[in-house]
Amino acid sequence: MTLERYDVVVVGAGPAGSAAAIAARLSGARVLLLDRADFPRDKACGDGIAADAIDVLTRMGVHGITEGYPAIERLRLVGPGGAQVSRRLPRVAYTIPRRVFDARLVEAAVAEGADLKRHTVRRLFDPGGGVEIDGRFHAGVLIGADGAGSVVRRALGIAPNPPGHLAVAIRGYVPTSNTGEQIIVTTRRRWPAYAWEFPIGDGTANVGYGEVLRGVPLSRAYLLERLKTLLPGAEPQSLRGHHLPLSTRRPPPAQGRVLLAGDALSLINPFTGEGIFYAVLSGALAGTAAALGPERAAPSYRAALTRRLGRHLRHSGVAALLSRQPRVVDAAVEAAARDATVFDRMVDLGLGDGVFDLRTIGRIISRIGHRDPAAT
């Protein structure tokens, strides 16, 4: 069988993969985008799309992604001890079901000239001179953007994230009268853990609950019970669960001709569980680097990731470590309620590529021990 040859083959057509395909095409590469599913398809997720993710796509010429979905202007955060803050977001966010969001990105990749094929990748082989995929396709550079259970990552011999660096969540949809406020309710029970309600704008909201795994499997019934406890009255439909490999245990981003992006690279914010911004950004960086060819792809990608996200990932990792203490989170929420700048810094760190400054840290420290309300 004659292999179909491409400069760049992207495995996984989610946000990271589609962004990679678009970026590689913009750089002139011949690109194949593989996914095991047809689009549109559902994907378990909180569906929250931050402004930073839209920025990445806009810079690549992708427009209309948010069409039909109203901007969400406010965020309410409830701390594990009961402290609350509700403020206008520094930049609007959106809630777009992944069935819609991912399909729009795939359409953009195809419109840019990427070939899209439905194919389940099972075997990768590098005989020298390129990567062969299941004896059918040949890649000058391969990008693994195939999610938390990445086949490409396993083929590189990289183990999944261990307990403490992996979260699990369940999500569904409910009717709601909430049209303009994202809600996050944290809890001390099995902390770090939280429930969310993200209104879509059509009379429904994405709701869910997630927590960090500690080596003990969590049942669907347990996750649903916690969701209903933190969001009383919620009776979600279309329930699905998913794993979130946290960025506190990232593998090497590149080995030889193979690059990893998005969830396959464990790019999930450990502070909030957000991953769409990381996915489209890392995908775009991977696609641009891959188009440079097999000799330059890996070092260029590593350098681009470090330059673009290195400082932020260090700050988010430290924030995640400190926030393992519920009293620190309550102090941060109280500081954000008193100071809009602290709130904005927290949002930028959790949804984009922001960092903490000394003033913000000082404001949070000043609130530690200020109160100790009953646990939720």
Side-chain angles (χ1 to χ4, degrees):
M1 179 182 295
T2 302
L3 296 175
E4 297 181 42
R5 293 180 174 270
Y6 291 86
D7 300 322
V8 179
V9 174
V10 184
V11 180
S18 290
I22 294 167
R25 281 296 304 145
L26 287 172
S27 297
R30 185 168 184 240
V31 179
L32 173 63
L33 183 58
L34 298 175
D35 200 282
R36 62 184 181 182
D38 285 325
F39 288 79
R41 58 95 176 96
D42 190 19
K43 181 73 173 180
C45 180
D47 295 341
I49 311 296
D52 296 71
I54 302 301
D55 289 346
V56 176
L57 298 172
T58 301
R59 285 195 292 270
M60 293 194 295
V62 180
H63 302 285
I65 293 296
T66 65
E67 183 177 345
Y69 294 88
I72 307 298
E73 297 185 345
R74 298 187 67 86
L75 169 67
R76 179 180 299 275
L77 177 61
V78 181
Q84 291 195 40
V85 58
S86 176
R87 286 190 180 275
R88 183 179 293 272
L89 287 161
R91 301 179 66 198
V92 299
Y94 298 86
T95 309
I96 307 174
R98 292 287 296 277
R99 173 179 288 275
V100 175
F101 183 76
D102 289 15
R104 288 178 175 179
L105 290 188
V106 168
E107 290 172 4
V110 172
E112 196 59 52
D115 291 341
L116 173 67
K117 295 181 185 292
R118 182 176 181 181
H119 178 79
T120 300
V121 174
R122 293 185 171 85
R123 183 172 178 269
L124 304 176
F125 176 58
D126 186 355
V131 181
E132 295 182 7
I133 302 104
D134 295 327
R136 289 187 55 185
F137 311 107
H138 179 278
V141 178
L142 181 75
I143 299 175
D146 47 340
S150 173
V151 172
V152 176
R153 175 171 167 155
R154 290 201 303 271
L156 294 175
I158 302 171
N161 278 27
H165 303 276
L166 182 69
V168 65
I170 191 170
R171 75 93 192 140
Y173 296 93
V174 299
T176 185
S177 58
N178 176 13
T179 59
E181 184 177 58
Q182 293 184 336
I183 301 172
I184 295 176
V185 182
T186 63
T187 171
R188 283 186 177 179
R189 179 176 169 183
R190 293 181 63 87
W191 175 259
Y194 72 86
W196 69 82
E197 177 185 325
F198 295 163
I200 296 172
D202 60 356
T204 64
N206 180 308
V207 297
Y209 170 82
E211 67 177 63
V212 175
L213 288 170
R214 297 177 177 81
V216 178
L218 301 178
S219 70
R220 174 190 176 105
Y222 165 78
L223 294 170
L224 181 57
E225 180 272 327
R226 294 303 298 147
L227 168 60
K228 291 181 176 181
T229 297
L230 295 173
L231 296 176
E235 293 292 340
Q237 303 298 313
S238 303
L239 282 169
R240 294 190 64 177
H242 57 291
H243 286 96
L244 299 94
L246 306 178
S247 65
T248 49
R249 187 60 65 88
R250 299 185 307 280
Q255 291 187 29
R257 296 172 178 264
V258 181
L259 317 180
L260 297 176
D263 289 11
L265 187 54
S266 296
L267 280 179
I268 297 290
N269 192 304
F271 190 51
T272 60
E274 199 282 336
I276 298 297
F277 165 61
Y278 286 166
V280 295
L281 177 60
S282 63
L285 296 177
T288 300
L292 297 174
E295 300 302 322
R296 298 174 60 190
S300 295
Y301 183 46
R302 284 192 292 264
L305 276 175
T306 298
R307 185 168 56 250
R308 189 65 176 78
L309 284 177
R311 185 164 176 250
H312 161 74
L313 289 172
R314 290 192 297 273
H315 278 237
S316 64
V318 171
L321 181 63
L322 294 175
S323 66
R324 292 298 174 100
Q325 298 293 324
R327 64 194 181 100
V328 175
V329 179
D330 275 317
V333 172
E334 290 188 10
R338 288 170 165 262
D339 188 327
T341 301
V342 173
F343 178 84
D344 291 351
R345 285 283 187 175
M346 288 172 59
V347 170
D348 288 342
L349 182 71
L351 301 183
D353 59 357
V355 297
F356 274 159
D357 60 358
L358 292 177
R359 178 182 181 278
T360 300
I361 294 170
R363 290 288 191 274
I364 294 172
I365 291 174
S366 72
R367 304 305 300 171
I368 293 178
H370 183 74
R371 56 180 284 188
D372 186 23
T376 298

mmCIF file of all heavy atoms in Angstrom, residues 206-228:
data_model
loop_
_atom_site.group_PDB
_atom_site.id
_atom_site.type_symbol
_atom_site.label_atom_id
_atom_site.label_comp_id
_atom_site.label_asym_id
_atom_site.label_seq_id
_atom_site.Cartn_x
_atom_site.Cartn_y
_atom_site.Cartn_z
ATOM 1 N N ASN A 206 -24.595 24.918 31.188
ATOM 2 C CA ASN A 206 -23.705 23.786 31.427
ATOM 3 C C ASN A 206 -23.401 23.768 32.923
ATOM 4 O O ASN A 206 -22.952 24.775 33.477
ATOM 5 C CB ASN A 206 -22.416 23.965 30.615
ATOM 6 C CG ASN A 206 -21.420 22.830 30.803
ATOM 7 O OD1 ASN A 206 -21.068 22.459 31.913
ATOM 8 N ND2 ASN A 206 -20.945 22.304 29.687
ATOM 9 N N VAL A 207 -23.698 22.647 33.583
ATOM 10 C CA VAL A 207 -23.388 22.506 35.000
ATOM 11 C C VAL A 207 -22.514 21.273 35.185
ATOM 12 O O VAL A 207 -22.563 20.321 34.405
ATOM 13 C CB VAL A 207 -24.664 22.377 35.865
ATOM 14 C CG1 VAL A 207 -25.515 23.625 35.777
ATOM 15 C CG2 VAL A 207 -25.476 21.147 35.469
ATOM 16 N N GLY A 208 -21.694 21.311 36.234
ATOM 17 C CA GLY A 208 -20.835 20.162 36.469
ATOM 18 C C GLY A 208 -20.149 20.238 37.814
ATOM 19 O O GLY A 208 -20.284 21.216 38.559
ATOM 20 N N TYR A 209 -19.439 19.173 38.111
ATOM 21 C CA TYR A 209 -18.666 19.086 39.355
ATOM 22 C C TYR A 209 -17.389 18.315 39.063
ATOM 23 O O TYR A 209 -17.388 17.310 38.322
ATOM 24 C CB TYR A 209 -19.456 18.365 40.440
ATOM 25 C CG TYR A 209 -18.611 18.028 41.665
ATOM 26 C CD1 TYR A 209 -18.364 18.977 42.641
ATOM 27 C CD2 TYR A 209 -18.036 16.765 41.807
ATOM 28 C CE1 TYR A 209 -17.570 18.687 43.741
ATOM 29 C CE2 TYR A 209 -17.237 16.467 42.905
ATOM 30 C CZ TYR A 209 -17.010 17.422 43.866
ATOM 31 O OH TYR A 209 -16.216 17.141 44.955
ATOM 32 N N GLY A 210 -16.271 18.763 39.659
ATOM 33 C CA GLY A 210 -15.016 18.061 39.481
ATOM 34 C C GLY A 210 -14.144 18.158 40.711
ATOM 35 O O GLY A 210 -14.293 19.072 41.523
ATOM 36 N N GLU A 211 -13.218 17.212 40.843
ATOM 37 C CA GLU A 211 -12.253 17.244 41.936
ATOM 38 C C GLU A 211 -10.990 16.515 41.531
ATOM 39 O O GLU A 211 -10.976 15.716 40.576
ATOM 40 C CB GLU A 211 -12.836 16.651 43.216
ATOM 41 C CG GLU A 211 -13.130 15.178 43.160
ATOM 42 C CD GLU A 211 -13.649 14.663 44.518
ATOM 43 O OE1 GLU A 211 -14.715 15.104 44.978
ATOM 44 O OE2 GLU A 211 -12.957 13.797 45.096
ATOM 45 N N VAL A 212 -9.924 16.799 42.230
ATOM 46 C CA VAL A 212 -8.631 16.170 41.969
ATOM 47 C C VAL A 212 -8.662 14.732 42.469
ATOM 48 O O VAL A 212 -9.116 14.451 43.580
ATOM 49 C CB VAL A 212 -7.488 16.951 42.654
ATOM 50 C CG1 VAL A 212 -6.159 16.220 42.485
ATOM 51 C CG2 VAL A 212 -7.390 18.358 42.077
ATOM 52 N N LEU A 213 -8.190 13.817 41.639
ATOM 53 C CA LEU A 213 -8.133 12.407 42.025
ATOM 54 C C LEU A 213 -6.954 12.154 42.957
ATOM 55 O O LEU A 213 -5.888 12.740 42.793
ATOM 56 C CB LEU A 213 -8.001 11.526 40.786
ATOM 57 C CG LEU A 213 -9.260 11.407 39.905
ATOM 58 C CD1 LEU A 213 -8.923 10.723 38.590
ATOM 59 C CD2 LEU A 213 -10.358 10.649 40.635
ATOM 60 N N ARG A 214 -7.163 11.244 43.897
ATOM 61 C CA ARG A 214 -6.111 10.911 44.862
ATOM 62 C C ARG A 214 -5.829 9.411 44.896
ATOM 63 O O ARG A 214 -5.399 8.880 45.902
ATOM 64 C CB ARG A 214 -6.527 11.388 46.256
ATOM 65 C CG ARG A 214 -6.700 12.895 46.359
ATOM 66 C CD ARG A 214 -7.193 13.285 47.737
ATOM 67 N NE ARG A 214 -7.301 14.719 47.908
ATOM 68 C CZ ARG A 214 -8.326 15.454 47.477
ATOM 69 N NH1 ARG A 214 -9.339 14.854 46.851
ATOM 70 N NH2 ARG A 214 -8.363 16.748 47.659
ATOM 71 N N GLY A 215 -6.084 8.737 43.797
ATOM 72 C CA GLY A 215 -5.793 7.313 43.714
ATOM 73 C C GLY A 215 -6.980 6.423 43.970
ATOM 74 O O GLY A 215 -6.876 5.192 43.849
ATOM 75 N N VAL A 216 -8.127 6.998 44.350
ATOM 76 C CA VAL A 216 -9.341 6.227 44.597
ATOM 77 C C VAL A 216 -10.355 6.563 43.510
ATOM 78 O O VAL A 216 -10.687 7.745 43.320
ATOM 79 C CB VAL A 216 -9.944 6.549 45.978
ATOM 80 C CG1 VAL A 216 -11.230 5.773 46.199
ATOM 81 C CG2 VAL A 216 -8.937 6.242 47.077
ATOM 82 N N PRO A 217 -10.869 5.581 42.769
ATOM 83 C CA PRO A 217 -11.851 5.870 41.720
ATOM 84 C C PRO A 217 -13.101 6.525 42.302
ATOM 85 O O PRO A 217 -13.531 6.204 43.411
ATOM 86 C CB PRO A 217 -12.171 4.484 41.143
ATOM 87 C CG PRO A 217 -11.014 3.623 41.522
ATOM 88 C CD PRO A 217 -10.535 4.138 42.846
ATOM 89 N N LEU A 218 -13.675 7.452 41.540
ATOM 90 C CA LEU A 218 -14.894 8.144 41.955
ATOM 91 C C LEU A 218 -16.029 7.743 41.024
ATOM 92 O O LEU A 218 -15.883 7.791 39.799
ATOM 93 C CB LEU A 218 -14.689 9.659 41.912
ATOM 94 C CG LEU A 218 -13.571 10.207 42.790
ATOM 95 C CD1 LEU A 218 -13.447 11.720 42.620
ATOM 96 C CD2 LEU A 218 -13.818 9.868 44.259
ATOM 97 N N SER A 219 -17.158 7.376 41.602
ATOM 98 C CA SER A 219 -18.281 6.893 40.805
ATOM 99 C C SER A 219 -19.080 8.042 40.215
ATOM 100 O O SER A 219 -19.063 9.166 40.722
ATOM 101 C CB SER A 219 -19.201 6.022 41.660
ATOM 102 O OG SER A 219 -19.896 6.819 42.609
ATOM 103 N N ARG A 220 -19.817 7.748 39.183
ATOM 104 C CA ARG A 220 -20.732 8.723 38.578
ATOM 105 C C ARG A 220 -21.765 9.181 39.596
ATOM 106 O O ARG A 220 -22.085 10.368 39.680
ATOM 107 C CB ARG A 220 -21.404 8.064 37.377
ATOM 108 C CG ARG A 220 -22.497 8.884 36.696
ATOM 109 C CD ARG A 220 -23.221 7.991 35.701
ATOM 110 N NE ARG A 220 -24.336 8.638 35.061
ATOM 111 C CZ ARG A 220 -24.331 9.080 33.813
ATOM 112 N NH1 ARG A 220 -23.248 8.968 33.080
ATOM 113 N NH2 ARG A 220 -25.415 9.631 33.280
ATOM 114 N N ALA A 221 -22.262 8.241 40.402
ATOM 115 C CA ALA A 221 -23.270 8.583 41.411
ATOM 116 C C ALA A 221 -22.710 9.565 42.433
ATOM 117 O O ALA A 221 -23.401 10.509 42.849
ATOM 118 C CB ALA A 221 -23.774 7.318 42.102
ATOM 119 N N TYR A 222 -21.473 9.359 42.829
ATOM 120 C CA TYR A 222 -20.849 10.272 43.798
ATOM 121 C C TYR A 222 -20.702 11.668 43.209
ATOM 122 O O TYR A 222 -21.039 12.674 43.853
ATOM 123 C CB TYR A 222 -19.487 9.732 44.224
ATOM 124 C CG TYR A 222 -18.635 10.775 44.929
ATOM 125 C CD1 TYR A 222 -18.864 11.102 46.261
ATOM 126 C CD2 TYR A 222 -17.637 11.458 44.240
ATOM 127 C CE1 TYR A 222 -18.106 12.078 46.892
ATOM 128 C CE2 TYR A 222 -16.878 12.434 44.863
ATOM 129 C CZ TYR A 222 -17.115 12.742 46.188
ATOM 130 O OH TYR A 222 -16.382 13.719 46.806
ATOM 131 N N LEU A 223 -20.190 11.745 41.988
ATOM 132 C CA LEU A 223 -19.987 13.050 41.356
ATOM 133 C C LEU A 223 -21.316 13.782 41.186
ATOM 134 O O LEU A 223 -21.403 14.997 41.403
ATOM 135 C CB LEU A 223 -19.300 12.870 40.005
ATOM 136 C CG LEU A 223 -17.869 12.321 40.044
ATOM 137 C CD1 LEU A 223 -17.405 11.969 38.633
ATOM 138 C CD2 LEU A 223 -16.908 13.309 40.687
ATOM 139 N N LEU A 224 -22.361 13.051 40.813
ATOM 140 C CA LEU A 224 -23.677 13.666 40.643
ATOM 141 C C LEU A 224 -24.237 14.153 41.975
ATOM 142 O O LEU A 224 -24.829 15.243 42.057
ATOM 143 C CB LEU A 224 -24.640 12.671 39.993
ATOM 144 C CG LEU A 224 -26.059 13.179 39.714
ATOM 145 C CD1 LEU A 224 -26.026 14.414 38.831
ATOM 146 C CD2 LEU A 224 -26.894 12.074 39.073
ATOM 147 N N GLU A 225 -24.016 13.384 43.043
ATOM 148 C CA GLU A 225 -24.488 13.797 44.368
ATOM 149 C C GLU A 225 -23.817 15.078 44.812
ATOM 150 O O GLU A 225 -24.458 15.987 45.349
ATOM 151 C CB GLU A 225 -24.212 12.675 45.376
ATOM 152 C CG GLU A 225 -24.647 12.972 46.808
ATOM 153 C CD GLU A 225 -23.576 13.687 47.635
ATOM 154 O OE1 GLU A 225 -22.388 13.418 47.398
ATOM 155 O OE2 GLU A 225 -23.945 14.522 48.497
ATOM 156 N N ARG A 226 -22.511 15.193 44.559
ATOM 157 C CA ARG A 226 -21.803 16.412 44.936
ATOM 158 C C ARG A 226 -22.280 17.611 44.110
ATOM 159 O O ARG A 226 -22.404 18.723 44.614
ATOM 160 C CB ARG A 226 -20.290 16.224 44.759
ATOM 161 C CG ARG A 226 -19.679 15.200 45.697
ATOM 162 C CD ARG A 226 -19.944 15.554 47.163
ATOM 163 N NE ARG A 226 -19.344 16.831 47.535
ATOM 164 C CZ ARG A 226 -19.862 17.671 48.414
ATOM 165 N NH1 ARG A 226 -21.018 17.388 49.006
ATOM 166 N NH2 ARG A 226 -19.236 18.791 48.713
ATOM 167 N N LEU A 227 -22.548 17.374 42.835
ATOM 168 C CA LEU A 227 -23.069 18.438 41.979
ATOM 169 C C LEU A 227 -24.397 18.964 42.514
ATOM 170 O O LEU A 227 -24.599 20.188 42.641
ATOM 171 C CB LEU A 227 -23.241 17.905 40.548
ATOM 172 C CG LEU A 227 -24.039 18.774 39.576
ATOM 173 C CD1 LEU A 227 -23.391 20.138 39.411
ATOM 174 C CD2 LEU A 227 -24.163 18.078 38.229
ATOM 175 N N LYS A 228 -25.301 18.062 42.870
ATOM 176 C CA LYS A 228 -26.616 18.472 43.351
ATOM 177 C C LYS A 228 -26.537 19.130 44.724
ATOM 178 O O LYS A 228 -27.355 20.001 45.051
ATOM 179 C CB LYS A 228 -27.543 17.257 43.406
ATOM 180 C CG LYS A 228 -27.923 16.717 42.036
ATOM 181 C CD LYS A 228 -28.868 15.535 42.161
ATOM 182 C CE LYS A 228 -29.338 15.050 40.807
ATOM 183 N NZ LYS A 228 -30.281 13.905 40.917
#
